[in-house]
Amino acid sequence: MIQLTHDTIDYTALTESIRSNQAGAVVLFLGTVREMTAGRQTVALDYDGFPEMAEAKLRELEAEARSRWPVIEAGIVHRLGHLELGDISVAVAVSCPHRHQAFDAGRYLIDRLKEVVPIWKKENWSDGSTEWVHPGVDNNGTQPQI
Amino acid sequence: MKTKLKLFAKARDLVGAAELELDLPESATVADLRIALGEHSPALQPLLASLLVAVGTDYASPTTRIGGRQDLAVFPPVSGG
C-alpha cells in the first residue's frame, strides 16, 4: 500500500495489513520528528509534497524492492503538513520469508525514498526562524564547493 | 511556446508562486529552462544549479526537450522521510 496523508499514520493497521502466513519476518520503520539537529532545536516540521509524482516514485520503489527481495507485502505511508515533535512522518513496513530480506528491503525503501521521492521538509527552529531542508544546498541557497 | 511548470518548496517561496508560465522554443531543453527561470526570477539564481526538473512524474535529464510542455515541475533536492 502506497499512501500520502495529512492524518496521523496508523502504523499498527499498516503493519497488520502486510502480515502474511508466507512471511516469517515483518519489519516496520518509523521516521519521527527529532528535536535536535546539529545543536539546533526543532519545534515542528512542515512537509510539502508533489503528490502525483511522489506516489508514482513510491510505487516504483516498491517494484524495485520486489525485484530484489522476495517481498510478500510492502506498505509505505508518508505524512504531509504540519508535524510536531515526536510525530511520525513516514512508515515503511515490509514482510518477507526471512529477516535479512525484510531488513534489507525495508532499509532500501527508506533510503531510496529520501533520495528520489519529491517531498520536502521545512524546519521550524526554536528561535522562530524557518528553513527548507534541501540536501546539498547550504543555508544561503548555494551549492557547497566539492 | 507556452510552457507551464509547477514549483515546490524553497523554489516556490523564492518565486512567490506555485505555478509559472514561460515562453520557450519547442527545442528548449532542461538546461535552457534553467537559464529562462533565472532570467524570469533572479531570486532563484542561487538555487538554479541544484534544481531538479520533472516531466509528468519522471525526472528529466539536462537534454530532455521541454518546450511547450504543460506538465513540468521544478524543485530543489528532496528531503522527505
Side-chain angles (χ1 to χ4, degrees):
Chain A
M1 181 185 63
I2 300 297
Q3 190 187 13
L4 302 178
T5 180
H6 281 80
D7 301 325
T8 302
I9 296 175
D10 186 344
Y11 56 89
T12 307
L14 175 70
T15 309
E16 280 303 315
S17 76
I18 59 115
R19 279 169 22 82
S20 161
N21 290 347
Q22 312 307 312
V26 173
V27 163
L28 170 68
F29 170 84
L30 300 178
T32 61
V33 178
R34 182 184 59 238
E35 183 171 16
M36 300 304 295
T37 298
R40 297 188 76 183
Q41 187 180 22
T42 297
V43 295
L45 293 176
D46 287 294
Y47 282 87
D48 184 23
F50 175 11
E52 301 95 315
M53 184 173 174
E55 287 173 5
K57 289 291 150 200
L58 288 171
R59 280 193 292 273
E60 286 176 26
L61 294 186
E62 181 184 344
E64 286 170 20
R66 286 181 179 279
S67 74
R68 297 177 64 163
W69 294 278
V71 172
I72 307 293
E73 293 293 345
I76 309 172
V77 182
H78 203 299
R79 197 163 160 195
L80 300 175
H82 187 77
L83 277 71
E84 306 281 345
L85 283 187
D87 283 351
I88 295 165
S89 54
V90 62
V92 176
V94 186
S95 60
C96 290
H98 301 285
R99 68 185 183 283
H100 294 122
Q101 304 155 345
F103 275 118
D104 290 352
R107 177 166 190 161
Y108 176 83
L109 287 171
I110 185 60
D111 285 354
R112 291 289 290 152
L113 180 155
K114 291 174 84 81
E115 291 170 353
V116 304
V117 176
I119 293 173
W120 305 268
K121 63 169 74 82
K122 185 167 69 177
E123 289 276 7
N124 293 257
W125 299 113
S126 58
D127 64 5
S129 65
T130 64
E131 184 184 342
W132 284 106
V133 180
H134 294 314
V137 181
D138 71 21
N139 293 348
N140 299 318
T142 53
Q143 284 196 303
Q145 298 292 317
I146 298 169
Chain B
M1 298 182 79
K2 284 192 171 174
T3 306
K4 276 176 76 172
L5 53 95
K6 292 178 181 159
L7 296 161
F8 292 97
K10 191 168 185 171
R12 184 187 53 209
D13 286 2
L14 289 174
V15 173
E19 287 192 6
L20 262 190
E21 202 168 87
L22 297 173
D23 193 23
L24 294 173
E26 190 174 4
S27 61
T29 63
V30 165
D32 298 322
L33 173 62
R34 274 180 216 283
I35 295 166
L37 269 172
E39 289 170 355
H40 179 277
S41 301
L44 269 183
Q45 209 73 44
L47 263 190
L48 275 188
S50 61
L51 287 178
L52 302 167
V53 177
V55 178
T57 58
D58 284 310
Y59 285 103
S61 75
T63 56
T64 303
R65 291 195 170 196
I66 46 80
R69 294 212 57 132
Q70 308 293 302
D71 57 352
L72 300 178
V74 174
F75 45 79
V78 303
S79 57

